[in-house]
Amino acid sequence: MFTEPHVEQGWIEVICGSMFSGKTEELIRRIKRSKIAGQKVILFKPSIDTRYHETEIVSHDSNSVESIPVSSSLDILDRITHQEVVAIDEAQFFDSDLPAVCVKLAERRIRVIVAGLDMDFKGKPFGPMPDLMAMAEYVTKVHAICMKCGKLAAFTFKKIQNDQTVELGERELYEARCRPCFEEGMAMIKEQLKMDL
Ligand code: ZN
């Protein structure tokens, strides 16, 4: 489990993993501990993520913390006043300026906690996540349980495939899968697509 370093300086933490891996729950755990310690915390999410309540971040166990939807990563800088901790959820949906924004915040001695999907449903690095993971001091990769075989899962499998990478998550549409089950599923989808032609 991640333990905060005892230093008076800014840094970047990344929490990444597949869908259903508990990324948001881990983000909320860290936010709540900071709040209990009396630190000033602000939480952002991309305005694209409108699955639930507009101004709330909601994890699947409805352990919720208020969040601010922003349409670009530069908007985050405009909204920082005196916060000690800046948290960002669903970071994969942000633009390519997000890593630079996080660095700026860390340079201002702010603790930056970023959570997001590290891979898209094709198994490719997702949006600004690979850069963030490279530039962060701390990276925590959380895992789901494969919904096919019960082993540890790092991949998000999309049961109905099309070319839209940004599609909001539904339990009917996505599954957490281990590598062999993910590869098997992708091979099946490729077969199906060939048959459709
Ligand atoms: Zn599996």
Side-chain angles (χ1 to χ4, degrees), residues 33-127:
R33 295 173 80 229
S34 296
K35 281 190 165 175
I36 288 166
Q39 293 176 332
K40 292 189 174 60
V41 184
I42 189 165
L43 172 61
F44 297 100
K45 64 170 187 179
S47 51
I48 186 174
D49 186 26
T50 52
R51 265 176 293 173
Y52 306 102
H53 192 268
E54 262 296 298
T55 57
E56 282 210 330
I57 186 174
V58 183
S59 73
H60 299 297
D61 63 358
S62 39
N63 194 2
S64 67
V65 175
E66 197 188 349
S67 80
I68 299 164
V70 284
S71 55
S72 89
S73 45
L74 292 172
D75 291 347
I76 293 174
L77 287 179
D78 295 339
R79 288 173 178 261
I80 304 301
T81 50
H82 54 285
Q83 287 84 7
E84 296 156 282
V85 179
V86 172
I88 300 159
D89 197 24
E90 301 285 354
Q92 76 280 355
F93 289 135
F94 275 96
D95 51 86
S96 58
D97 288 328
L98 189 62
V101 166
C102 291
V103 167
K104 265 194 186 138
L105 295 172
E107 283 170 358
R108 287 198 217 162
R109 300 188 165 245
I110 292 169
R111 175 185 176 191
V112 186
I113 317 172
V114 183
L117 283 169
D118 45 12
M119 287 184 278
D120 63 19
F121 67 88
K122 289 174 176 165
K124 298 280 185 286
F126 206 150

Side-chain angles (χ1 to χ4, degrees), residues 172-189:
E172 315 82 63
L173 200 53
Y174 296 98
E175 274 179 1
R177 289 201 180 188
C178 69
R179 188 183 295 275
C181 294
F182 177 76
E183 283 172 0
E184 191 188 289
M186 292 300 275
M188 273 177 65
I189 296 265

